[in-house]
């Protein structure tokens, strides 16, 4: 939802004293591709603020448009996805390009309550998993406990990306990982070691 008008108006004078890069940082904090109205309201506070955050606003509009397409593909909406605890997106024909959009959503911090993410039986592949891992390595999805990635045309390169993300501390609350692709699958040495170190169940 939009920020309260009176709150924005009260904040405008001190905001005008902030340098453009500080306003851009604030804009990135408000940028939620599932609920973009907060940044839109902030950008429309005054001309000076809009000028400073226009680049971030344009980026958000692009990601939001892509998020809408992805949500339509899997049969949901951005509004329903926001705040979800479960994303059961198995067998939705999600490919590497879709995974990149999902990674952008995840990296934005728009899914802080997500506990279960099932992406099994899709077409994510190595490139799609790498995009997701890059987002996860930034500390996204702090509440996630279950991650399903089985039957996704993932090879050793994708499993390497996942192992590296875990080694960097990604998904601090993850309890179970489902993955069965690649020549080694759950016996992939780096992934198996990372899961054992973190006590992540790898059935």
């Amino acid at each position: 939802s939009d920020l309260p008008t009176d709150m924005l108006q009260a904040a405008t004078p001190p905001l005008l004293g902030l340098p453009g890069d500080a306003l851009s940082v604030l804009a990135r904090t408000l940028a939620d591709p599932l609920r973009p109205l907060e940044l839109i309201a902030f950008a429309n506070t005054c001309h000076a603020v809009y000028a400073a955050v226009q680049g971030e606003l344009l980026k958000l509009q692009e990601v939001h448009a892509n998020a809408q397409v992805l949500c339509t593909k899997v049969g949901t909406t951005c509004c329903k996805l926001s705040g979800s605890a479960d994303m059961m997106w198995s067998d939705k024909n999600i490919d590497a390009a879709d995974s990149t959009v999902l990674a952008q959503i995840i990296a934005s911090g728009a899914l802080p309550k997500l506990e279960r993410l099932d992406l099994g039986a899709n077409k994510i592949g190595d490139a799609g998993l790498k995009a997701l891992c890059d987002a996860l390595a930034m500390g996204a999805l702090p509440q996630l406990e279950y991650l399903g990635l089985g039957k996704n045309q993932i090879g050793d390169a994708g499993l390497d990306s996942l192992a590296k993300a875990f080694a960097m501390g990604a998904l601090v609350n993850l309890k179970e990982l489902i993955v069965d692709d690649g020549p080694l699958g759950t016996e992939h040495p780096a992934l198996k070691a990372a899961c054992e170190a973190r006590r992540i169940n790898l059935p």
Side-chain angles (χ1 to χ4, degrees):
S1 59
D2 291 337
L3 293 175
T5 302
D6 56 347
M7 182 182 298
L8 286 169
Q9 290 176 339
T12 300
L15 284 176
L16 291 176
L18 292 175
D21 55 349
L23 289 173
S24 294
V25 171
L26 184 54
R28 286 194 290 272
T29 302
L30 293 173
D32 183 337
L34 301 180
R35 305 179 74 90
L37 292 182
E38 290 188 359
L39 180 55
I40 292 172
F42 175 66
N44 287 317
T45 303
C46 67
H47 291 299
V49 172
Y50 182 84
V53 305
Q54 185 178 14
E56 297 299 328
L57 185 59
L58 291 174
K59 291 178 187 176
L60 178 63
Q61 289 173 333
E62 180 180 358
V63 178
H64 176 60
N66 292 335
Q68 286 180 307
V69 172
L70 177 59
C71 285
T72 299
K73 180 175 183 176
V74 301
T76 188
T77 65
C78 289
C79 186
K80 289 180 181 178
L81 182 57
S82 179
S84 294
D86 297 280
M87 283 175 59
M88 313 311 288
W89 284 15
S90 63
D91 199 17
K92 298 290 187 181
N93 201 33
I94 296 171
D95 57 21
D98 297 322
S99 301
T100 299
V101 175
L102 179 56
Q104 291 176 319
I105 296 171
I106 290 172
S108 75
L111 299 167
K113 298 179 181 179
L114 193 65
E115 297 177 1
R116 293 178 57 83
L117 175 58
D118 186 358
L119 297 171
N122 284 296
K123 302 174 183 177
I124 291 174
D126 289 342
L129 183 55
K130 184 180 186 307
L132 291 170
C133 288
D134 287 345
L136 296 175
M138 298 168 61
L141 305 185
Q143 301 303 320
L144 197 73
E145 297 181 356
Y146 173 89
L147 177 59
L149 293 170
K151 298 180 176 63
N152 262 294
Q153 304 173 9
I154 297 169
D156 280 347
L159 298 182
D160 281 339
S161 296
L162 192 57
K164 289 176 182 176
F166 286 155
M168 293 174 64
L171 301 177
V172 293
N173 281 311
L174 191 68
K175 294 180 172 59
E176 184 168 353
L177 169 69
I178 303 297
V179 61
D180 56 11
D181 292 312
L184 299 175
T186 56
E187 294 302 314
H188 184 280
L191 181 61
K192 186 175 182 180
C195 288
E196 288 177 351
R198 294 270 305 277
R199 298 184 179 179
I200 297 170
N201 185 28
L202 190 63

